């Protein structure tokens, strides 16, 4: 974690208003030379294009304008880190739901429209005024269609339409990058990303467990013990704490055998 980015993220968390600014911090975490100034200007240009259509902009004007500008889902290139880098998404016009969602939110906010991120289980959605939008499809959707998906996939509706605060969006974006790093065996980057996540949710015991797994893959049992101890301190219940204590003892034995 660099001090500059830590301060930038902390400053954002102190007054988390604009999801675009949060996403640009994520972009800099992933790609230090991310062109954040150009990204801000491009979102402004996209908003100006909607405004230039004449009458007061409506939610579906934003959808139509971004579709006509060429934005679309990443398709077969879905699992690439660049899809979480906002300036890359703005240049390539391709992205994953949450970064495309941030584009929608940035444009809509500049037009004075009320906009909210929705933490839907399948993928991130955006509500612009009273319209629900699927940013990955770059098209409108509906609550009924989402509820049908939940039923068909046997997913409960509880929490499915929760509003995503700007800091929630940053956390979800970082989670995508961290999980991808882990899947690719880049455990050092996964640990670095989780450092930033812990600034947002310092009490998230699950992140400490994930960090312990990453250290285990890096053959650092002493760090495994430290992370599991932090997880145990934040465990949500006694049963979880007991399981973590058992893992701590296993990690200590592993550390002793490594030293011997």
């Amino acid at each position: 974690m660099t001090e500059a980015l830590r301060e930038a993220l902390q400053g954002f968390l102190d007054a988390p208003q604009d999801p675009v600014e949060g996403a640009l911090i994520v972009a800099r975490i992933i790609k230090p030379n991310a062109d954040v100034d150009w990204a801000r200007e491009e979102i402004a240009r996209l908003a100006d294009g909607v405004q230039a259509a004449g009458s007061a902009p409506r939610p579906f004007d934003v959808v139509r304008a971004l579709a006509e500008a060429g934005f679309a889902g990443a398709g077969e290139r879905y699992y690439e880190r660049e899809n979480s880098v906002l300036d890359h998404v703005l240049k390539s016009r391709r992205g994953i739901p949450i970064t495309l969602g941030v584009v929608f939110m940035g444009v809509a906010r500049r037009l004075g429209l009320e906009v909210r991120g929705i933490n839907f289980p399948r993928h991130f959605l955006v509500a612009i005024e009273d319209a629900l939008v699927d940013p990955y499809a770059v098209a409108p959707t509906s609550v009924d269609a989402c509820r049908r998906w939940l039923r068909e996939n046997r997913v409960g509706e509880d929490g499915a339409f929760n509003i995503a605060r700007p800091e929630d969006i940053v956390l979800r974006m970082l989670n995508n990058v961290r999980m991808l790093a882990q899947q690719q065996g880049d455990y050092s980057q996964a640990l670095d990303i989780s450092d930033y996540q812990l600034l947002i949710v310092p009490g998230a015991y699950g992140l400490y467990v994930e960090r312990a797994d990453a250290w285990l893959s890096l053959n650092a049992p002493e760090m495994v013990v430290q992370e599991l101890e932090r997880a145990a301190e934040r465990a949500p219940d006694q049963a979880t704490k007991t399981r973590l204590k058992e893992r701590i003892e296993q990690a200590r034995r592993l550390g002793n055998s490594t030293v011997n």
Side-chain angles (χ1 to χ4, degrees):
M1 179 191 298
T2 70
E3 184 63 21
L5 286 173
R6 188 197 67 78
E7 291 180 356
L9 181 55
Q10 189 60 61
F12 171 79
L13 295 174
D14 289 341
Q17 299 295 326
D18 188 350
V20 169
E21 290 305 313
L24 290 176
I25 294 171
V26 174
R28 290 169 58 201
I29 290 171
I30 302 168
K31 189 177 75 171
N33 64 342
D35 198 344
V36 296
D37 290 334
W38 177 88
R40 294 188 187 99
E41 293 167 0
E42 180 64 7
I43 286 177
R45 282 192 290 269
L46 289 165
D48 289 344
V50 179
Q51 193 73 62
S55 59
R58 299 166 298 177
F60 295 126
D61 293 330
V62 177
V63 178
R64 182 173 59 253
L66 292 181
E68 290 175 352
F71 285 93
E76 63 183 19
R77 303 188 69 175
Y78 193 99
Y79 297 103
E80 294 184 0
R81 297 183 201 193
E82 289 78 8
N83 289 322
S84 294
V85 179
L86 189 58
D87 65 313
H88 173 85
V89 170
L90 286 163
K91 290 172 183 176
S92 68
R93 299 302 206 241
R94 296 291 183 272
I96 55 177
I98 196 163
T99 40
L100 289 170
V102 169
V103 174
F104 271 94
M105 296 179 77
V107 171
R109 278 171 57 90
R110 287 192 66 89
L111 294 169
L113 296 168
E114 182 183 2
V115 61
R116 305 171 302 283
I118 306 295
N119 262 328
F120 193 68
R122 176 177 54 171
H123 61 238
F124 191 80
L125 301 175
V126 173
I128 306 176
E129 300 285 347
D130 58 353
L132 192 61
V133 176
D134 181 342
Y136 193 69
V138 195
T141 185
S142 68
V143 171
D144 286 343
C146 292
R147 283 176 171 154
R148 185 167 57 251
W149 182 90
L150 291 171
R151 289 193 302 271
E152 290 172 352
N153 290 274
R154 300 181 180 180
V155 178
E157 189 174 327
D158 186 33
F161 295 96
N162 281 355
I163 294 174
R165 301 168 300 171
E167 59 267 40
D168 297 328
I169 293 171
V170 170
L171 183 65
R172 187 164 173 167
M173 292 182 73
L174 289 172
N175 202 52
N176 289 337
V177 180
R178 180 177 59 81
M179 291 179 66
L180 186 57
Q182 288 175 186
Q183 291 167 7
Q184 295 175 341
D186 191 346
Y187 301 110
S188 294
Q189 186 184 46
L191 287 164
D192 186 53
I193 296 295
S194 66
D195 282 336
Y196 293 102
Q197 290 185 286
L198 287 171
L199 284 178
I200 306 171
V201 283
Y205 89 96
L207 271 175
Y208 290 102
V209 175
E210 295 276 1
R211 287 173 62 85
D213 291 338
W215 284 117
L216 183 61
S217 297
L218 291 171
N219 195 30
E222 69 285 355
M223 294 303 300
V224 175
V225 170
Q226 287 186 30
E227 301 292 359
L228 290 176
E229 286 177 336
R230 291 167 182 156
E233 290 171 1
R234 297 161 176 81
D237 52 58
Q238 188 58 46
T240 302
K241 180 176 288 189
T242 298
R243 288 195 298 272
L244 289 169
K245 293 288 187 182
E246 291 171 355
R247 284 199 59 188
I248 290 169
E249 290 308 312
Q250 292 171 358
R252 283 180 175 146
R253 288 195 295 270
L254 177 62
N256 291 335
S257 65
T258 301
V259 172
N260 294 335

